[in-house]
Amino acid sequence: MTTADLKARIAATLRPDVQRAQAYVVPAVVPNAVKLDAMENPYRLPQALQQALGQRLGQVAINRYPGPSLPALKAALAEHAQLPAGCELMLGNGSDELITLLTLACMRPGATVLAPEPGFVMYHMAAQWQGLPYVGVPLRPDFSLDAEAMVAAVQRHRPALTFLAYPNNPTANLFDPQAMQRVIDQVGAQGHGWVVVDEAYQPFASDSWMARMAHQPHVLVMRTLSKFGLAGIRLGYLCGHAPVIAQLDKVRPPYNVSALNAEAALFALEHAAHYTEQAAAIRQSREALLQQLAQLPGCTVFPSQGNMVLMRVPDASRWHQHLMHQGILVKNVSTMHPLLSECLRLTVGTPEENTALIQALKAAP
Ligand SMILES: *Cc1c(COP(=O)(O)O)cnc(C)c1O
């Protein structure tokens, strides 16, 4: 088969929307860069824990399909997250997979996905690949939730899935819980659909919907160990009332979480105190960083309840380039949404990384 034949075969076989799409860009690895572009925890495990983890992983029966450690992992997560009585959780290969499984499970004719924007791109992407219409409702210019517009959109589109990230990405703020409750009540009143509260940044936030879910069965709470400090192992979990989780779990590929992921997650939860300290250190660094960023002339810094900061700068593209030349990677989000014009999103790093960032920003052109 010639290259031309292969191209013709691709053109005749794959979905046209897949062929037209841009691939999700995973930022290239730059050696020795100060990496503040993906909301990763800047801290690695201390040497002693690295060795202990190596021992543990070495003992896992990787000749077997994953399974034996999953009940223990679920129990540890339920305890860690303080899962309410009557609720269950299901595991995903990162919450990205859970978002895909949610859209897959709800894919009925007319099912729509709704989310405020700017928001996490995976909600839109997952809907698109499952062929579900997606509706984005603009936030207010200060990135607060526009409850009126959201309620009107729920009435109009009757969504199967409404995603609310709490805190939101890339804006880093917590929405007003009363505004969220109005949206949740509207979805409750329509008799079908779920509100998925995405709490990826929960370790850094001052509030959660986990306890509020207990008396609202149409609310699901999604969490992940990624921002907690384990982005590399890919483990997300979706919490909800037992009957709905039992249904959603049917579309989960049976071995989606590897035995090594599961063991590493269990190990991390056994050392949760260590991660709690890291999260506290990051929250503290965030406050210091917010104060210093706020003093930069010509910049607007938005409040943060995550391990990231959104800021508007005089020229996002130029500042982004400048930081890159200084070996500091951040994300230029200015073209993601009109409300984000001239905005950069940066991860809170170690105190040293944050100092390097501030120095570089002070010298920005
Ligand atoms: C980072 C992030 C996630 C995490 O996805 P994983 O697949 O678990 O790494 C989920 N939701 C939001 C809003 C995020 O920013």
Side-chain angles (χ1 to χ4, degrees), residues 110-277:
T112 297
V113 175
L114 190 114
E117 283 194 340
F120 190 45
V121 291
M122 290 305 298
Y123 310 144
H124 189 167
M125 254 174 90
Q128 185 189 337
W129 293 140
Q130 307 289 351
L132 272 66
Y134 169 85
V135 176
V137 179
L139 294 172
R140 295 205 190 93
D142 66 354
F143 305 126
S144 61
L145 192 68
D146 187 340
E148 287 73 32
M150 286 294 291
V151 165
V154 171
Q155 284 171 331
R156 172 140 186 243
H157 300 285
R158 304 179 54 76
L161 291 167
T162 301
F163 286 98
L164 294 170
Y166 191 75
N168 189 42
N169 174 10
T171 58
N173 57 321
L174 283 180
F175 297 138
D176 171 19
Q178 285 175 354
M180 277 173 72
Q181 190 62 58
R182 287 182 56 192
V183 178
I184 290 167
D185 288 345
Q186 187 62 42
V187 172
Q190 75 174 0
H192 81 272
W194 314 103
V195 177
V196 184
V197 182
D198 180 349
E199 297 193 347
Y201 298 96
Q202 179 274 332
F204 316 103
S206 60
D207 190 36
S208 163
W209 281 79
M210 191 65 82
R212 297 181 186 113
M213 176 178 73
H215 60 94
Q216 310 189 82
H218 63 296
V219 173
L220 303 166
V221 174
M222 189 167 63
R223 294 216 183 150
T224 173
L225 294 184
S226 290
K227 302 341 184 298
F228 180 77
L230 300 160
I233 73 160
R234 314 302 303 131
L235 192 88
Y237 52 109
L238 182 69
C239 309
H241 284 244
V244 56
I245 294 296
Q247 294 294 330
L248 294 171
D249 200 47
K250 293 178 188 170
V251 299
R252 180 180 59 82
Y255 303 120
N256 64 329
V257 172
S258 91
L260 295 174
N261 287 14
E263 197 64 28
L266 257 177
F267 180 86
L269 291 168
E270 286 164 22
H271 297 89
H274 177 79
Y275 288 93
T276 306
E277 273 172 38

Side-chain angles (χ1 to χ4, degrees), residues 247-311:
Q247 294 294 330
L248 294 171
D249 200 47
K250 293 178 188 170
V251 299
R252 180 180 59 82
Y255 303 120
N256 64 329
V257 172
S258 91
L260 295 174
N261 287 14
E263 197 64 28
L266 257 177
F267 180 86
L269 291 168
E270 286 164 22
H271 297 89
H274 177 79
Y275 288 93
T276 306
E277 273 172 38
Q278 285 183 351
I282 291 166
R283 283 197 306 268
Q284 221 171 27
S285 303
R286 175 185 72 202
E287 295 313 308
L289 184 62
L290 284 170
Q291 283 192 2
Q292 289 179 290
L293 292 172
Q295 285 163 17
L296 293 171
C299 298
T300 308
V301 182
F302 297 96
S304 170
Q305 287 276 316
N307 62 340
M308 62 183 146
V309 177
L310 184 76
M311 67 187 292

Side-chain angles (χ1 to χ4, degrees), residues 69-145:
S69 62
L70 296 184
L73 175 58
K74 283 189 181 183
L77 285 170
E79 196 192 316
H80 175 74
Q82 297 180 291
L83 191 71
C87 292
E88 285 289 339
L89 60 83
M90 66 183 274
L91 302 176
N93 197 273
S95 25
D96 284 357
E97 185 186 44
L98 292 168
I99 296 166
T100 298
L101 295 180
L102 275 162
T103 54
L104 179 64
C106 292
M107 192 179 77
R108 300 167 45 135
T112 297
V113 175
L114 190 114
E117 283 194 340
F120 190 45
V121 291
M122 290 305 298
Y123 310 144
H124 189 167
M125 254 174 90
Q128 185 189 337
W129 293 140
Q130 307 289 351
L132 272 66
Y134 169 85
V135 176
V137 179
L139 294 172
R140 295 205 190 93
D142 66 354
F143 305 126
S144 61
L145 192 68

